[in-house]
Amino acid sequence: MHRKLGSFEFSVKKLKHLISTVYKKNALKLVESLHASNQEVDMQELLLDMTFRSICEVVFGNIFNAESDSEVGLGSVAVALDNAQEMILRRYLCPWWKINRFLNIGSERVFREDMKQFNNFLTDKIERKTLQLQKEGTKMSNTVECQNSDCSPAQDLLSRFLWSQQQAHPQDAVTSNNNNQEMIRDAMTSFVLAGRDTTASTLSWFIYCMCIYPEKQEKIFNELVKLECVTIKGYGKDDGIEGAVSSNVEDGARVPDEVGPKRFERKTYMMKECEVKMLAFARMFADEVLTYEHLQSNRLPYLHSAITETLRLYPAVPRDGKIALKADILPDGTHLNAGDQVVYVPYAMGRMSFLWGPDALDFRPERWLHDGCFQPQSPFKFSAFQAGPRMCLGKDAAYLQMKLTAALLIRFFRFQMVPNHPVKYRMMNVLTMKHGLRVYVAPREINQEIRVFALL
């Protein structure tokens, strides 16, 4: 039921809404923060904060206010969640953890306190949302028109789950039924974890790869400028800046034959030369260039390939598994009993030379390109988003947010690793960096010549 309810939140209409509102707003806030810092920063921490705020808006809707929630310790809630995840994984290394839990000592005591803090955060949101729905409407069914409808005015997952529970148990108030509230709280935990940690982890490793391979960083920048020229400035056609100009451009005006600042020869006008404000231009770039249609299509193939290559080498969930609900037989003849666990390791799969060739350990986005277009691989080979009927529901939403954020970052900044900064894995279910990602951030020069061709 959770998967079915969640699937309605990833329709094309909803994804367009997320791109134009939540994802764009929080990505631009990150750009503003980096522009103001002018020093070394921990990109992993900033990205985790951005994705946490984004997923909270998606899950909780308008009852979540990033500014007011920050005042009551939103950052400490995120830290508690991270610590709790790490301690869950450490249970595999501590055979006496159940004794510690029973005695409420050691790491299990800390774990209980962290989970209490996070559960209190969720419970508060559930109670506030229920109260809001009761005040706004009379019935939740008036707020969410139809469980199977794409045209529901509900803008958040929590409203849909509350409505579903009311339909299933109309005689019980959601907040007065502990089982219902616990079920909803667990579901919201899953969505918050999936929407925050995985996206931030991938973007962090993406920035790391950009620092290690600066030439790839510049290739993405050139691709973005090329699309910018076609979209905003009207140079050339979609298949390249070199193409013929559109019909409303003056005959004889020279089209740039390469990306980057150029001087044009005939009847061009200077538009705020050397005075273009980065943040204002970033907003225009996000609005006009980084649209849903551009991000979802093959207009930025190298950026998409670079993010996918990052996921191949640094999958957000490096180890995953399934539990058999009943006896089964795998395709290779392996017999499974009910309760058996089957584990697969995307981290190892992404580095196997017999799957990816002798350069499997190299960061090479070009392996995903064929004739200039992104060429996907079988999800059973590239398993970062799982495969089959349990394919990740949020795959498209994750790619959209990652591409939007990565595009803004690379378009307006250069990144360089802080010398001797240690990059080690943190023991968690999600592949994060133990010491964060300390980088120098240098704004790119936006005071380049921005010109428009004279109209006829």
Side-chain angles (χ1 to χ4, degrees), residues 202-440:
T202 303
L203 285 171
S204 298
W205 288 110
F206 170 81
I207 295 297
Y208 169 77
C209 291
M210 294 299 99
C211 293
I212 301 301
Y213 303 94
E215 71 280 4
K216 312 294 186 185
Q217 190 174 164
E218 294 309 308
K219 282 188 177 182
I220 295 173
F221 171 76
N222 290 339
E223 182 178 69
L224 291 167
V225 172
K226 179 178 177 179
L227 181 59
E228 172 190 319
C229 289
V230 171
T231 305
I232 296 180
K233 305 171 189 177
Y235 305 153
K237 295 182 179 179
D238 289 356
D239 58 354
I241 304 173
E242 302 83 4
V245 297
S246 56
S247 59
N248 66 337
V249 176
E250 183 180 17
D251 293 338
R254 187 167 65 88
V255 179
D257 55 5
E258 60 182 69
V259 295
K262 296 292 292 183
R263 291 195 173 276
F264 309 114
E265 295 175 348
R266 296 189 54 193
K267 293 185 180 180
T268 60
Y269 292 94
M270 307 301 293
M271 185 174 65
K272 296 183 179 179
E273 182 178 13
C274 301
E275 297 179 357
V276 177
K277 301 297 184 181
M278 171 189 253
L279 299 180
F281 188 72
R283 284 190 286 271
M284 180 177 68
F285 183 79
D287 289 337
E288 300 190 27
V289 179
L290 302 180
T291 62
Y292 171 84
E293 289 72 20
H294 286 172
L295 293 172
Q296 190 73 336
S297 66
N298 205 29
R299 299 293 293 274
L300 294 168
Y302 200 83
L303 173 63
H304 192 97
S305 299
I307 292 175
T308 305
E309 182 74 346
T310 301
L311 279 165
R312 180 184 72 86
L313 290 172
Y314 304 100
V317 182
R319 172 192 175 277
D320 205 351
K322 308 294 180 186
I323 297 178
L325 294 177
K326 58 182 180 180
D328 200 357
I329 301 176
L330 296 181
D332 67 347
T334 301
H335 287 260
L336 297 177
N337 297 319
D340 285 351
Q341 185 179 26
V342 179
V343 176
Y344 66 100
V345 186
Y347 180 89
M349 293 173 63
R351 295 162 183 261
M352 292 178 175
S353 57
F354 76 88
L355 287 177
W356 300 99
D359 61 348
L361 297 180
D362 297 337
F363 180 81
R364 196 171 67 84
E366 290 78 7
R367 76 175 74 246
W368 298 91
L369 295 173
H370 180 69
D371 293 334
C373 296
F374 177 79
Q375 183 65 44
Q377 297 289 332
S378 166
F380 295 94
K381 174 183 177 181
F382 173 67
S383 57
F385 292 97
Q386 304 191 51
R390 307 302 296 182
M391 176 76 76
C392 176
L393 283 176
K395 177 183 177 181
D396 289 341
Y399 262 120
L400 286 171
Q401 185 178 18
M402 289 189 293
K403 290 168 73 173
L404 172 69
T405 306
L408 282 170
L409 294 178
I410 298 301
R411 174 60 183 87
F412 295 101
F413 302 98
R414 286 188 177 90
F415 297 90
Q416 183 179 358
M417 286 278 293
V418 172
N420 302 320
H421 173 68
V423 177
K424 298 181 180 180
Y425 302 138
R426 183 178 181 182
M427 185 176 290
M428 290 177 61
N429 290 322
V430 177
L431 193 65
T432 55
M433 302 179 192
K434 183 177 181 179
H435 304 289
L437 179 62
R438 306 293 301 182
V439 299
Y440 294 120

Side-chain angles (χ1 to χ4, degrees), residues 133 136-145 152-155 159 163:
L133 294 178
E136 286 180 353
T138 56
K139 293 184 179 180
M140 295 180 192
S141 56
N142 292 331
T143 303
V144 184
E145 291 178 352
S152 166
Q155 297 296 322
S159 294
W163 174 85

